[in-house]
Amino acid sequence: MTVDEFPVLDRKRYAMEDNPVIGIDLGTSYCCVAVFRNIDDIEIAPNHLGHRITPSCVAFTRHNGCLVGDAAKRHGMTNPEECIFEVKRLMGRFFNDATVQQDKKKWPFGVSSGPAGKVVLSVPKASGRQRSFKPEEISALLLKEMKEIAEKFSNWGSITDAVITVPAYFNHRQRKATMAAGVSAGLNVLRLMSEPTAAALAYGHQRLIRRGRVEKNILVFDLGGGTFDVSIVSVKAGPDEDRSFVVKAVVGDSHLGGADIDQRLLEHAMQHFKNQLHGKDFLANKRILPRLNQAVVDAKHALSAKGVTMADINLEYSDDVLTLKLGRLKLEALNEDLFRKCMTIVEQALSDAKMSKDEISDVVLAGGSTRIPKVQEMLTTFFGEAPIKFVNPDEVVAFGAAVQAGLLARSNKCAEASISVRDVTSVSFGVDSRLGIMNILVPRNSPLPAASGSTEFPLDHHQSIPVELYEGERALCAHNRCLGKLHVDPFTPGPATLKTVLRVVLTIDAHGILHATAEVLARHKDIGRKVETMVTLDTDVVQSSADGTDTMDWYTAEAKAEDARIWAAKESMKKLRHLILKLQAEHSSNKSDTDLEKHLRKDWEWYEGLKKLASKEEFDRRYDKLQKYQSP
């Protein structure tokens, strides 16, 4: 599919003849919804208090039922154990994930393991109310609230068509959970859209429409409450001021954001006050921690204002007011490694896009945490000019999502191209191969929708072939995430040959959802038979990563070096196998060459007996010894 085939917009005749459509930024800390009526009428919908963003909080009270947004946040200040927040950090995760184990220590609500090891959230037991919830159930309540805010603002009876944004680096499981939440909220989810791509589209709407033929590369730096993404987007001009937005690379961390900065500051304040009180456990009263956390967040916001270098953290305790003066330099020192990590990811995005920083025309900010002066200073120093601030960073993602919703909802009525958007995969998809090595079929940053080249499976004395589907960047499947499995049988067993018996093709749709097809090629009574699977909303993920860590996030240089060693050994292993089977076929009728026959038998027995991957050097050594027997 080419860019020209994507949903496009005719500005002259484009208007919502039916319902308005909406874009929803389902954030870790706040949610925001924008309403699209036509290309010149896109507005952020305020909630009933007039606020343009709504806290991502859901509270379950003993008397007033379920509260969402500002009311839930207020309730949580006095009843913290009844308020669930930051649920985005739990979407699509397993209880044994390292990040879940880390985060649950700071949350007042219950976090436990449910069916299949998935996360379950709980509030104290009370008569007549539900006690346990899946993360997507809480997200569904937030999405339903956004839907109702948009309906009241637009004075429309019911709005169902929506684009929901997710972090670019959300994995397959997290996207599935978000889609399920949208469906449960009564939405027709037109698309799950990457947050930085939505910000880029908002940028294009605000800065490029009707501005002539402008082509540029933009970098979107999206640092929100709980996630961080960097996207590089090329904006290309076509005839009649058409615009195409082509995402070149996405890199990110689905567990890095303002909440982590808040936690560092909170721990600093807790230690300071504990020292003031000579070690007394001042947090024994559960109502104190939410108040202290809010005081910390308020101080962080104050230090983000121009010219402010010092802020007070005040906490009422007993008959006293505890005070800590927090300086901007201290905030930066406490979070130095997090800020440095952000810039490392920027550099990786440039490398993936095969661009230098000089090729970036504009840096676009998204997410409330980009207000932190240190963040803007780092970007200004790195790129040589300040990032642009054309839209409120809390609102830019929802605005761009609404533009995309408008493009998708009425694309069949468009006659002339105006805007087209093409996103990319945030992770690689592949299948398990011999010795548990990942065989990547759809590399990270492949344009969506994506179709893989095929991979073909040989058959070595087996009647069935299980094909396990994975996502991830690591060389070993055990370090990636298993998404599902295809199983094909019965094959006719026999000695290994160069002939392949099964072809597997993966495709990723516009939502980032995986489809897999396996086609029988030989050694089967039904040649051409196809087995298909789609990892859909109601399909459980088979397992989490072996060590319980979130391996899709940024990983170390040491891990990358280890993976490079495994990839290299894998290629040498494939070469050796191919050579052995080729020589066996060429010399099958020549029984006089006993030396060759001995070497082939010895090397094949060694190859088949491998329980773990040998070194590249060992495969190459055996390959070189056999190579002399090849026919000229």
Side-chain angles (χ1 to χ4, degrees), residues 24-40:
I24 300 175
D25 177 5
L26 180 62
T28 305
S29 302
Y30 291 91
C31 296
C32 183
V33 59
V35 178
F36 181 107
R37 293 186 181 90
N38 60 62
I39 195 62
D40 296 313

Side-chain angles (χ1 to χ4, degrees), residues 89-94 97 99 166-179 192 227 229 253-254 425-429 470-473 480-483 511-514 541 544-545 549-553:
R89 289 198 149 182
L90 293 168
M91 293 289 282
R93 293 190 184 271
F94 287 91
D97 282 356
T99 56
V166 293
Y169 227 58
F170 249 24
N171 62 48
H172 181 83
R173 196 171 65 219
Q174 291 165 314
R175 290 170 187 266
K176 283 186 0 183
T178 304
M179 180 72 86
L192 294 180
T227 60
D229 291 307
D253 189 327
S254 60
T425 61
S426 59
V427 295
S428 299
F429 292 84
Y470 285 87
E471 66 172 0
E473 311 308 321
N480 295 323
R481 291 195 184 88
C482 186
L483 301 174
H511 294 292
I513 305 298
L514 173 68
V541 176
S544 64
S545 60
T549 60
D550 195 340
T551 53
M552 297 304 300
D553 293 336

Side-chain angles (χ1 to χ4, degrees), residues 151-267:
E151 289 168 347
K152 291 177 182 176
F153 172 74
S154 61
N155 197 27
W156 202 270
S158 177
I159 298 176
T160 55
D161 289 347
V163 166
I164 302 173
T165 62
V166 293
Y169 227 58
F170 249 24
N171 62 48
H172 181 83
R173 196 171 65 219
Q174 291 165 314
R175 290 170 187 266
K176 283 186 0 183
T178 304
M179 180 72 86
V183 172
S184 180
L187 294 169
N188 173 35
V189 184
L190 302 171
R191 180 73 51 86
L192 294 180
M193 186 181 193
S194 295
E195 290 164 359
T197 306
L201 192 52
Y203 164 90
H205 179 277
Q206 295 288 313
R207 297 288 289 263
L208 299 182
I209 288 180
R210 305 179 182 93
R211 297 273 179 109
R213 292 180 59 86
V214 179
E215 298 193 6
K216 54 176 62 181
N217 299 315
I218 63 174
L219 182 142
V220 180
F221 187 98
D222 185 357
L223 183 61
T227 60
F228 173 56
D229 291 307
V230 174
S231 282
I232 295 177
V233 182
S234 288
V235 183
K236 300 182 181 297
D240 300 323
E241 297 186 16
D242 294 354
R243 295 284 181 272
S244 65
F245 292 76
V246 181
V247 181
K248 294 295 186 181
V250 294
V251 186
D253 189 327
S254 60
H255 197 271
L256 172 62
D260 300 289
I261 295 170
D262 297 343
Q263 186 63 23
R264 299 278 181 90
L265 300 178
L266 179 64
E267 290 170 0

